[in-house]
Each structure stands twice: as structure tokens, then as C-alpha cells.
Amino acid sequence: MFDPLHPEESRRHAPATERNRAPILKVLRRVLPPQGLVLEVASGTGQHAVAFAEALPGVTWQPSDPDPDLRDSVRSWAAAAALPNLRDPLDLDAAAPDWPVRSADAVVCINMIHIAPWEAALGLFAGAERLLPAGAPLLLYGPFTRGGRHSAPSNAAFDADLKARNPAWGVRDLDAVERASTGFALAELVEMPANNLTVVLRRH
């Protein structure tokens, strides 16, 4: 339970966030609208939410996560940052048919669809389609295969590890993502460090 008097007790730290936030932010600056509501699905620890809200003061950043402990971590990082454009995290399950937000100007999802059942990705596409206006971006970040092939041996090993932990998890193929996101057009693929990609989809 989040304690506003001792927020640091809820704070979690993901080392990968420190490494990837600058490359991701570079894409966000170019692709996101200069103003409006950005919904982050599966915010995790909250480190990205704070970093991006601080760097992009023109947008309102709405974090979310289905895990109450992670929402408390988001609140802990947010309490330390005290940013006026960073909202309290929502309890949002990407796979759910109803989301606790009715509209957004962009949706961002970092490192989720490979560490979740495929139903979460399908729910993400359906939910973002409901929320976003025509032309608005849905950004995905993480490892992907292309034509069923991994971009590096490290990604193949990561995929095997994920599937060993949960057979419903695994690195997703870009072709499958494109077929499943029927309300969107693939606008851009951005090569990222550590054999990751940022996938920019735009609402039809």
C-alpha cells in the first residue's frame, strides 16, 4: 500500500529503464503530438512515466498498470518528481474489453506484449483503436522477430527464456502485429539499441 509519508518504500527500479529511456524519448519527441493526453499502457515501475512527463511538459502523461504494487511504485516516483502533467496511475488491464479512459491523443506501450499472453496485445490494439482519433500514434517498444527470424542470438535466447517461464509469452513477430492491429497502419520502424525496435502504428 502506497504511503504518501514514506513514498520511497513503494519504489521499484528497473535498470533497463535507465538505459533505454533516452533512445525512446528521441522517438517520442518526434512522433507524439505536442499537446494532449498520452496513455501509457503497462507503466511498470513508473520510471519511464516520470522521465517522459518531465521531458514533454506540453502533454499530459497518463500511466497505467494492472499490478497494484507497480501502481504504487509509479506513485512513489511521481511523488518525488511532483510534475503537474503526470496523472495518478490507472488500474488498466490491456486485455480487458473496457478501459478506465475514454479518449487519448496517443498510446505508448513499452516492453509489454512479449511478457504477456497474446490476448494482451490483441486487447491493446482494440483498446487503442477505441480511444484514438484518426492519424494518432500507437507506439510499441521491445524485441520483435521479422518473418519469424530473430534479429540477434540474444533475442532468440531471451525468447526461449520467456517461453520457459510461461508458454503464453514470447517475442512477437512484426507480421503478426501488423495483421492483428487492423485499425492501424504501420507507419515506421525505428531501430533501437540492444536489438529492440520502436514500432509506430497510426490509427486509420
Side-chain angles (χ1 to χ4, degrees), residues 20-69:
N20 64 31
R21 65 185 181 187
I24 295 173
L25 177 61
K26 185 177 180 181
V27 180
L28 295 180
R29 286 188 188 280
R30 184 169 53 79
V31 173
L32 292 183
Q35 295 179 318
L37 178 70
V38 178
L39 172 65
E40 183 186 13
V41 175
S43 296
T45 63
Q47 291 165 268
H48 278 141
V50 167
F52 299 153
E54 183 175 30
L56 303 166
V59 303
T60 298
W61 198 272
Q62 175 61 75
S64 71
D65 205 282
D67 185 326
D69 289 337

Side-chain angles (χ1 to χ4, degrees), residues 74-98:
V74 175
R75 292 186 180 103
S76 176
W77 286 102
L83 299 169
N85 62 326
L86 179 58
R87 290 187 174 180
D88 193 60
L90 295 172
D91 179 1
L92 189 156
D93 180 352
D98 292 314

Side-chain angles (χ1 to χ4, degrees), residues 9-27:
E9 294 179 1
S10 299
R11 191 172 305 163
R12 295 191 182 187
H13 182 265
T17 304
E18 305 295 332
R19 297 191 296 269
N20 64 31
R21 65 185 181 187
I24 295 173
L25 177 61
K26 185 177 180 181
V27 180

Side-chain angles (χ1 to χ4, degrees), residues 114-115 143 157-171:
H114 58 283
I115 313 179
F158 181 48
D159 186 36
D161 178 67
L162 289 171
K163 290 173 179 174
R165 291 159 60 189
N166 187 327
W169 295 0
V171 174

Side-chain angles (χ1 to χ4, degrees), residues 79-156:
L83 299 169
N85 62 326
L86 179 58
R87 290 187 174 180
D88 193 60
L90 295 172
D91 179 1
L92 189 156
D93 180 352
D98 292 314
W99 288 6
V101 57
R102 292 290 169 251
S103 65
D105 298 288
V107 175
V108 173
C109 185
I110 298 168
N111 283 333
M112 183 199 81
I113 67 172
H114 58 283
I115 313 179
W118 181 238
E119 288 74 20
L122 297 178
L124 172 67
F125 302 143
E129 185 176 351
R130 291 192 302 269
L131 266 58
L132 294 175
L138 164 61
L139 284 85
L140 311 176
Y141 170 88
F144 293 88
T145 58
R146 302 193 209 191
R149 296 183 178 182
H150 290 284
S151 59
S154 58
N155 278 10

